[in-house]
Amino acid sequence: MSEVPGGFKNEAYTDFAVPENRKAMEAALAAVRAQFGREYELLIAGSRLKTEEKFRSLNPSRPSEVIGVHQKATPELAGMAVDAAYSFFPEWSGTPAARRVEMLLTAADLLRRRKLEFDAWLVFEAGKTWPEAEADVAEAIDFCEYYARQMLRFAAPAPVVQLPGESTRMVYLPLGAGIIIPPWNFPLAILVGMTTAALVAGNTVVIKPSSDTPTIAAKFAGLLLEAGFPDRSFCFLTGSGAAVGDVLVEHPKTRFVSFTGSRDVGLRINELAAKPQKGQVWIKRVVAEMGGKDAIIVDEEADLDSAVDGVLASAFGYQGQKCSACSRAIVSEKLYDEFLERLTAKVEKLKVGPADEPDNYMGPVINQRAKESILSYIEKGKQEGRLVAGGESPPGEGYFIRPTVIAGVESKATIFQEEIFGPVLAVTRAKDFDHALELANDSEYGLTGAVYTRNPEKIEKARDRFFVGNLYINRKCTGAMVGAHPFGGFNMSGTDSKAGGPDYLLQFLQAKSIAEKQI
Ligand code: NAD
């Protein structure tokens, strides 16, 4: 593994147990609340634009509160955005890498100074509790700092063999104009990581944020301009993914698509991008990071307390709406009953309620559609296993669902196989460690996984045979740290691009070899 040039340290989390920090966060929430309902514009070719049709983003804790009013881009505007990004590419790619790096470090600095403000937007628009929002913003800062340093590596020629009588070198060039399509679940961190990696590498981009979290994206677009990124280096385009997605992906001037989201949308993008369009002179590159059905194995030789805590945090942190969330606990039959008893005792104590109230461990799920889909999986789960905790939606305006545990789930069950993306955990009994590994790998996905055991031979076996992009031993399966845990999964979890890792920028670069004969 290569060194990170210039040193890199993960951003420290604000400790909200400290009274001054708590007060500062309350002030940030009030300041952000005062901006509810404002309108945000598109940015295309350096111009701010409004459309006739608008849409609103809501507070999932109190859906009667409108967070932001946004423009509904049309397919024509989407096409214009790609043209605009394409036409600025020569200028932006010609900007010295050192200058682009400087802008990105300025963006990191601005984000750091406005951390609590961004935390507050995440609390209100994405329904993240304070610590979850803080982790999202800290990760966004980490991406900026990390990719800025990585770009310095790729800006220098790569070492190649020198032949006698020839001078040889290999340099990295950016690709062109790309489309950035992030999900709503890490509406800052993933958006920032995908966008800044492409930009710092010298590409221009069209950012198409999720319609659930467009205000957070608009705030970051504003911050990029403040940091000195030219207003033509990126376009900001809100609107329905279904309405403008195809135009963006199919456009002949689109050189790459960087997507993070669900399996079905990712596969569709991959398919559309593969078909060459009239006037297109390249094969489009697709980076697609998709879903997960992540398992934690609890072996009979595990430290049971830490296994219970690890499963709890991985399954119910941010209401189970992380691609890395544990949705399957595969537990040795030797301690299955005890595990279940200890887990459910803790689950029943978890407080669910509005994300801005810091006593709540869990906030709402993202929207009404998600709530209905999760509740229907719970109904299915009740037939496929035994409901031992949760299962219902508490009364109230927000999209709340109690943390739910369904035991005795077989591997062929729908809730064992399909990504639910909510606070629902299936618990399955394993005969022995080999059986546990077999069950864990019985999935079309392969994103994260964890194993709790004290036995070194079993750890070795898991290292070899647990087929996931991010494996954790004796710790939870969520919370990947930039630089330390390069992130991305196998199989239907995506292209394993390893966000926050030393190879990530290569997705946005192409290498050119130059050999000069000495005369
Ligand atoms: P989604 O697929 O519904 O949407 C993702 C993005 O695609 C959004 O911006 C959406 O507007 C856009 N989109 C929708 N239809 C489109 C189309 N036809 N063409 C182009 N764009 C379109 O996913 P989501 O609900 O926002 O996010 C949750 C999913 O993301 C889960 O499956 C989760 O596992 C996955 N995820 C994966 C990772 C990872 O690193 N592997 C990280 C976070 C989330």
Side-chain angles (χ1 to χ4, degrees):
M1 170 89 67
S2 44
E3 289 281 304
V4 182
F8 165 81
K9 258 177 63 191
N10 294 106
E11 181 69 19
Y13 295 153
T14 307
D15 179 358
F16 292 117
V18 175
E20 303 89 83
N21 293 344
R22 205 175 164 105
K23 271 181 91 174
M25 182 64 185
E26 275 158 8
L29 288 165
V32 160
R33 182 173 271 287
Q35 296 182 54
F36 277 8
R38 279 197 189 167
E39 187 172 338
Y40 300 85
E41 292 157 331
L42 308 177
L43 178 69
I44 299 177
S47 299
R48 294 191 175 277
L49 301 174
K50 287 189 181 188
T51 55
E52 215 149 277
E53 272 197 79
K54 321 274 175 200
F55 69 99
R56 301 170 317 160
S57 70
L58 309 177
N59 176 359
S61 298
R62 295 181 202 88
S64 56
E65 291 176 350
V66 175
I67 303 298
V69 176
H70 295 268
Q71 316 302 320
K72 222 182 216 180
T74 57
E76 293 70 39
L77 287 168
M80 275 170 58
V82 180
D83 286 334
Y86 177 78
S87 64
F88 194 65
F89 174 67
E91 191 169 331
W92 181 241
S93 57
T95 305
R99 178 74 197 103
R100 299 195 303 260
V101 165
E102 207 179 296
M103 290 174 201
L104 187 48
L105 291 173
T106 306
D109 206 41
L110 288 171
L111 257 182
R112 193 174 287 116
R113 280 192 258 148
R114 292 169 55 186
K115 208 171 175 198
L116 294 185
E117 177 202 331
F118 274 94
D119 279 358
W121 284 112
L122 283 149
V123 166
F124 285 129
E125 197 173 49
K128 294 210 170 192
T129 57
W130 295 18
E132 293 288 349
E134 174 70 13
D136 194 322
V137 181
E139 188 177 1
I141 297 169
D142 284 351
F143 278 134
C144 296
E145 294 280 352
Y146 186 83
Y147 294 147
R149 284 165 176 76
Q150 287 298 330
M151 189 56 217
L152 295 177
R153 255 180 73 209
F154 293 110
V160 284
V161 169
Q162 296 299 314
L163 299 178
E166 230 183 61
S167 155
T168 52
R169 49 196 272 158
M170 188 172 88
V171 294
Y172 292 100
L173 308 179
L175 296 173
I179 314 298
I180 306 292
I181 308 180
W184 51 263
N185 74 327
F186 281 85
L188 191 68
I190 293 183
L191 168 103
V192 169
M194 293 165 74
T195 303
T196 62
L199 280 174
V200 78
N203 304 282
T204 51
V205 295
V206 176
I207 306 169
K208 208 301 291 164
S210 163
S211 298
D212 284 306
T213 50
T215 311
I216 294 160
K219 293 287 168 189
F220 181 68
L223 186 141
L224 280 177
L225 298 176
E226 248 182 84
F229 284 87
D231 60 7
R232 293 178 62 209
S233 60
F234 67 94
C235 295
F236 179 72
L237 190 89
T238 46
S240 143
V244 296
D246 290 2
V247 176
L248 295 172
V249 173
E250 288 182 321
H251 197 295
K253 298 288 184 258
T254 293
R255 177 66 182 81
F256 65 94
V257 183
S258 178
F259 167 83
T260 307
S262 62
R263 168 193 180 280
D264 291 354
V265 175
L267 290 178
R268 177 184 168 80
I269 287 175
N270 193 45
E271 192 178 336
L272 286 182
K275 194 163 185 295
Q277 302 294 326
K278 196 162 181 286
Q280 181 182 325
V281 296
W282 45 62
I283 297 174
K284 288 174 188 167
R285 205 180 273 183
V286 175
V287 181
E289 296 311 313
M290 314 195 297
K293 190 70 194 172
D294 311 306
I296 293 185
I297 293 178
V298 182
D299 175 53
E300 69 239 33
E301 294 179 83
D303 170 340
L304 193 53
D305 284 333
S306 65
V308 166
D309 289 346
V311 169
L312 189 94
S314 306
F316 303 120
Y318 191 36
Q319 298 78 263
Q321 301 173 116
K322 298 182 187 178
C323 51
S324 55
C326 169
S327 53
R328 298 179 295 152
I330 296 168
V331 185
S332 158
E333 61 184 12
K334 300 222 171 70
L335 41 69
Y336 183 86
D337 292 335
E338 197 182 349
F339 170 85
L340 215 47
E341 201 176 299
R342 287 205 214 175
L343 181 77
T344 44
K346 287 198 165 180
V347 167
E348 267 150 16
K349 290 201 190 102
L350 296 180
K351 273 194 79 177
V352 182
D356 53 313
E357 295 172 14
D359 291 346
N360 291 323
Y361 178 82
M362 278 172 54
V365 299
I366 192 69
N367 57 31
Q368 180 65 25
R369 196 159 34 92
K371 183 177 164 184
E372 284 165 13
S373 155
I374 296 162
L375 288 174
S376 77
Y377 272 114
I378 292 175
E379 282 314 305
K380 182 102 191 139
K382 285 184 192 165
Q383 294 151 26
E384 294 180 326
R386 181 168 60 90
L387 180 77
V388 291
E392 78 279 7
S393 167
E397 193 199 346
Y399 307 125
F400 302 111
I401 296 182
R402 290 280 321 154
T404 298
V405 181
I406 297 172
V409 178
E410 299 295 330
S411 65
K412 295 295 164 249
T414 309
I415 67 156
F416 189 94
Q417 293 293 340
E418 290 184 14
E419 185 182 45
I420 300 173
F421 223 56
V424 183
L425 176 74
V427 186
T428 300
R429 198 185 284 267
K431 291 196 284 286
D432 54 31
F433 196 71
D434 284 342
H435 183 217
L437 276 175
E438 204 179 293
L439 287 165
N441 285 336
D442 184 359
S443 169
E444 65 174 9
Y445 294 107
L447 190 46
T448 76
V451 173
Y452 281 87
T453 183
R454 293 193 182 93
N455 182 321
E457 278 165 32
K458 290 175 179 169
I459 291 174
E460 201 48 49
K461 222 179 226 186
R463 279 199 197 112
D464 286 348
R465 290 181 17 204
F466 200 157
F467 196 64
V468 289
N470 286 74
L471 177 65
Y472 300 99
I473 317 277
N474 290 319
R475 52 148 286 177
K476 62 182 179 144
C477 66
T478 53
M481 298 299 287
V482 170
H485 312 128
F487 192 81
F490 300 155
N491 293 347
M492 283 299 176
S493 291
T495 49
D496 192 42
S497 62
K498 288 293 184 265
D503 304 332
Y504 188 69
L505 288 192
L506 287 173
Q507 324 276 335
F508 308 101
L509 292 165
Q510 53 196 339
K512 178 173 181 177
S513 155
I514 304 163
E516 183 178 346
K517 194 166 166 61
Q518 282 150 11
I519 48 170

Short mmCIF file of all heavy atoms in Angstrom, two decimals, residues 37-40 53-59 63-72 125 210-215:
data_model
loop_
_atom_site.label_atom_id
_atom_site.label_comp_id
_atom_site.label_asym_id
_atom_site.label_seq_id
_atom_site.Cartn_x
_atom_site.Cartn_y
_atom_site.Cartn_z
N GLY A 37 -37.28 26.15 3.55
CA GLY A 37 -38.23 26.58 2.52
C GLY A 37 -37.64 27.50 1.46
O GLY A 37 -38.35 27.92 0.56
N ARG A 38 -36.34 27.80 1.54
CA ARG A 38 -35.73 28.65 0.51
C ARG A 38 -35.66 27.93 -0.82
O ARG A 38 -35.62 26.70 -0.87
CB ARG A 38 -34.29 29.01 0.92
CG ARG A 38 -34.25 30.12 1.90
CD ARG A 38 -32.85 30.70 1.94
NE ARG A 38 -32.76 31.64 3.04
CZ ARG A 38 -31.63 32.13 3.51
NH1 ARG A 38 -30.48 31.75 2.99
NH2 ARG A 38 -31.64 32.99 4.50
N GLU A 39 -35.55 28.73 -1.88
CA GLU A 39 -35.48 28.13 -3.21
C GLU A 39 -34.03 28.11 -3.70
O GLU A 39 -33.27 29.05 -3.45
CB GLU A 39 -36.36 28.95 -4.17
CG GLU A 39 -36.47 28.30 -5.53
CD GLU A 39 -37.47 28.99 -6.44
OE1 GLU A 39 -38.38 29.70 -5.93
OE2 GLU A 39 -37.34 28.81 -7.67
N TYR A 40 -33.65 27.04 -4.39
CA TYR A 40 -32.29 26.88 -4.91
C TYR A 40 -32.37 26.70 -6.43
O TYR A 40 -33.34 26.15 -6.95
CB TYR A 40 -31.61 25.67 -4.26
CG TYR A 40 -31.52 25.84 -2.75
CD1 TYR A 40 -32.59 25.49 -1.93
CD2 TYR A 40 -30.40 26.41 -2.16
CE1 TYR A 40 -32.54 25.69 -0.56
CE2 TYR A 40 -30.34 26.60 -0.78
CZ TYR A 40 -31.41 26.24 0.01
OH TYR A 40 -31.34 26.46 1.37
N GLU A 53 -41.39 24.06 -13.31
CA GLU A 53 -41.80 23.06 -12.32
C GLU A 53 -40.77 22.95 -11.20
O GLU A 53 -39.56 22.98 -11.44
CB GLU A 53 -41.93 21.70 -12.99
CG GLU A 53 -43.30 21.47 -13.58
CD GLU A 53 -43.51 20.00 -13.86
OE1 GLU A 53 -43.80 19.25 -12.91
OE2 GLU A 53 -43.33 19.61 -15.03
N LYS A 54 -41.26 22.84 -9.97
CA LYS A 54 -40.38 22.73 -8.79
C LYS A 54 -40.70 21.45 -8.04
O LYS A 54 -41.77 20.86 -8.23
CB LYS A 54 -40.62 23.89 -7.81
CG LYS A 54 -40.88 25.24 -8.44
CD LYS A 54 -39.62 25.98 -8.75
CE LYS A 54 -39.96 27.28 -9.48
NZ LYS A 54 -38.88 27.84 -10.23
N PHE A 55 -39.81 21.06 -7.15
CA PHE A 55 -40.16 20.02 -6.18
C PHE A 55 -39.60 20.43 -4.83
O PHE A 55 -38.73 21.31 -4.74
CB PHE A 55 -39.66 18.63 -6.62
CG PHE A 55 -38.16 18.47 -6.59
CD1 PHE A 55 -37.53 17.84 -5.51
CD2 PHE A 55 -37.37 18.93 -7.63
CE1 PHE A 55 -36.15 17.68 -5.49
CE2 PHE A 55 -35.99 18.77 -7.61
CZ PHE A 55 -35.38 18.15 -6.54
N ARG A 56 -40.10 19.79 -3.77
CA ARG A 56 -39.71 20.19 -2.42
C ARG A 56 -39.05 19.02 -1.70
O ARG A 56 -39.45 17.88 -1.88
CB ARG A 56 -40.94 20.63 -1.63
CG ARG A 56 -41.65 21.80 -2.30
CD ARG A 56 -43.00 22.11 -1.70
NE ARG A 56 -43.78 20.94 -1.42
CZ ARG A 56 -44.80 20.88 -0.57
NH1 ARG A 56 -45.15 21.95 0.09
NH2 ARG A 56 -45.46 19.77 -0.36
N SER A 57 -38.03 19.34 -0.90
CA SER A 57 -37.48 18.29 -0.04
C SER A 57 -38.04 18.52 1.36
O SER A 57 -38.24 19.67 1.77
CB SER A 57 -35.96 18.31 -0.04
OG SER A 57 -35.47 19.44 0.63
N LEU A 58 -38.30 17.41 2.05
CA LEU A 58 -39.00 17.49 3.34
C LEU A 58 -38.13 17.01 4.49
O LEU A 58 -37.13 16.31 4.28
CB LEU A 58 -40.26 16.62 3.28
CG LEU A 58 -41.20 16.84 2.08
CD1 LEU A 58 -42.36 15.85 2.14
CD2 LEU A 58 -41.71 18.27 2.04
N ASN A 59 -38.54 17.37 5.69
CA ASN A 59 -37.88 16.87 6.90
C ASN A 59 -38.54 15.53 7.24
O ASN A 59 -39.71 15.51 7.63
CB ASN A 59 -38.09 17.89 8.03
CG ASN A 59 -37.54 17.40 9.35
OD1 ASN A 59 -37.01 16.29 9.44
ND2 ASN A 59 -37.64 18.24 10.38
N PRO A 63 -42.59 15.67 8.25
CA PRO A 63 -42.73 15.92 6.80
C PRO A 63 -43.54 17.15 6.43
O PRO A 63 -43.53 17.56 5.27
CB PRO A 63 -43.40 14.64 6.29
CG PRO A 63 -43.19 13.63 7.35
CD PRO A 63 -43.07 14.35 8.65
N SER A 64 -44.24 17.78 7.41
CA SER A 64 -44.94 19.02 7.05
C SER A 64 -43.93 20.17 6.90
O SER A 64 -44.28 21.23 6.38
CB SER A 64 -45.97 19.36 8.12
OG SER A 64 -45.32 19.43 9.37
N GLU A 65 -42.68 19.96 7.31
CA GLU A 65 -41.66 21.01 7.18
C GLU A 65 -40.92 20.87 5.85
O GLU A 65 -40.33 19.81 5.57
CB GLU A 65 -40.66 20.94 8.33
CG GLU A 65 -41.29 21.31 9.66
CD GLU A 65 -40.34 21.15 10.84
OE1 GLU A 65 -39.25 20.58 10.69
OE2 GLU A 65 -40.70 21.62 11.94
N VAL A 66 -40.95 21.95 5.07
CA VAL A 66 -40.25 21.94 3.78
C VAL A 66 -38.83 22.45 4.00
O VAL A 66 -38.62 23.56 4.50
CB VAL A 66 -40.99 22.84 2.75
CG1 VAL A 66 -40.20 22.93 1.46
CG2 VAL A 66 -42.39 22.29 2.49
N ILE A 67 -37.85 21.64 3.62
CA ILE A 67 -36.45 22.04 3.83
C ILE A 67 -35.99 22.96 2.70
O ILE A 67 -35.39 24.00 2.92
CB ILE A 67 -35.53 20.79 3.89
CG1 ILE A 67 -36.01 19.83 4.99
CG2 ILE A 67 -34.08 21.18 4.11
CD1 ILE A 67 -35.96 20.39 6.39
N GLY A 68 -36.27 22.55 1.46
CA GLY A 68 -35.83 23.37 0.33
C GLY A 68 -36.76 23.19 -0.85
O GLY A 68 -37.42 22.16 -1.00
N VAL A 69 -36.80 24.24 -1.70
CA VAL A 69 -37.59 24.17 -2.93
C VAL A 69 -36.58 24.14 -4.08
O VAL A 69 -35.65 24.96 -4.11
CB VAL A 69 -38.53 25.39 -3.06
CG1 VAL A 69 -39.28 25.38 -4.38
CG2 VAL A 69 -39.49 25.43 -1.87
N HIS A 70 -36.75 23.18 -4.99
CA HIS A 70 -35.73 22.95 -6.03
C HIS A 70 -36.34 22.91 -7.42
O HIS A 70 -37.53 22.64 -7.59
CB HIS A 70 -34.98 21.65 -5.72
CG HIS A 70 -34.19 21.75 -4.46
ND1 HIS A 70 -32.87 22.13 -4.43
CD2 HIS A 70 -34.56 21.56 -3.16
CE1 HIS A 70 -32.46 22.16 -3.17
NE2 HIS A 70 -33.46 21.83 -2.38
N GLN A 71 -35.47 23.13 -8.38
CA GLN A 71 -35.90 23.16 -9.78
C GLN A 71 -35.98 21.73 -10.32
O GLN A 71 -35.12 20.90 -10.01
CB GLN A 71 -34.90 23.96 -10.65
CG GLN A 71 -34.44 25.26 -10.03
CD GLN A 71 -35.58 26.22 -9.73
OE1 GLN A 71 -36.51 26.35 -10.52
NE2 GLN A 71 -35.52 26.88 -8.57
N LYS A 72 -36.97 21.49 -11.14
CA LYS A 72 -37.12 20.17 -11.78
C LYS A 72 -36.53 20.28 -13.18
O LYS A 72 -37.21 20.76 -14.10
CB LYS A 72 -38.61 19.83 -11.85
CG LYS A 72 -38.91 18.41 -11.51
CD LYS A 72 -40.39 18.15 -11.65
CE LYS A 72 -40.86 17.18 -10.59
NZ LYS A 72 -42.28 16.90 -10.70
N GLU A 125 -32.59 17.31 6.73
CA GLU A 125 -33.03 16.83 5.41
C GLU A 125 -32.87 15.31 5.24
O GLU A 125 -33.64 14.69 4.51
CB GLU A 125 -32.27 17.56 4.29
CG GLU A 125 -32.96 17.40 2.93
CD GLU A 125 -32.33 18.25 1.84
OE1 GLU A 125 -31.09 18.21 1.68
OE2 GLU A 125 -33.08 18.95 1.12
N SER A 210 -29.58 13.34 -5.28
CA SER A 210 -30.84 12.63 -5.01
C SER A 210 -31.93 13.66 -4.70
O SER A 210 -31.68 14.67 -4.04
CB SER A 210 -30.65 11.70 -3.82
OG SER A 210 -31.91 11.32 -3.32
N SER A 211 -33.15 13.37 -5.12
CA SER A 211 -34.25 14.31 -4.88
C SER A 211 -34.70 14.33 -3.42
O SER A 211 -35.50 15.18 -3.04
CB SER A 211 -35.43 13.97 -5.78
OG SER A 211 -35.03 14.09 -7.12
N ASP A 212 -34.20 13.41 -2.61
CA ASP A 212 -34.51 13.47 -1.18
C ASP A 212 -33.61 14.45 -0.44
O ASP A 212 -33.98 14.93 0.63
CB ASP A 212 -34.38 12.08 -0.55
CG ASP A 212 -35.57 11.20 -0.91
OD1 ASP A 212 -36.71 11.63 -0.67
OD2 ASP A 212 -35.36 10.10 -1.45
N THR A 213 -32.43 14.70 -0.98
CA THR A 213 -31.46 15.52 -0.24
C THR A 213 -30.79 16.58 -1.12
O THR A 213 -29.57 16.75 -1.07
CB THR A 213 -30.38 14.60 0.38
OG1 THR A 213 -29.87 13.73 -0.67
CG2 THR A 213 -30.90 13.78 1.52
N PRO A 214 -31.57 17.32 -1.90
CA PRO A 214 -30.95 18.28 -2.81
C PRO A 214 -30.41 19.54 -2.13
O PRO A 214 -29.51 20.20 -2.66
CB PRO A 214 -32.10 18.63 -3.77
CG PRO A 214 -33.34 18.41 -2.96
CD PRO A 214 -33.04 17.28 -2.04
N THR A 215 -30.95 19.88 -0.96
CA THR A 215 -30.51 21.13 -0.31
C THR A 215 -29.06 20.98 0.18
O THR A 215 -28.24 21.90 0.03
CB THR A 215 -31.44 21.49 0.86
OG1 THR A 215 -32.79 21.39 0.39
CG2 THR A 215 -31.19 22.89 1.37
#
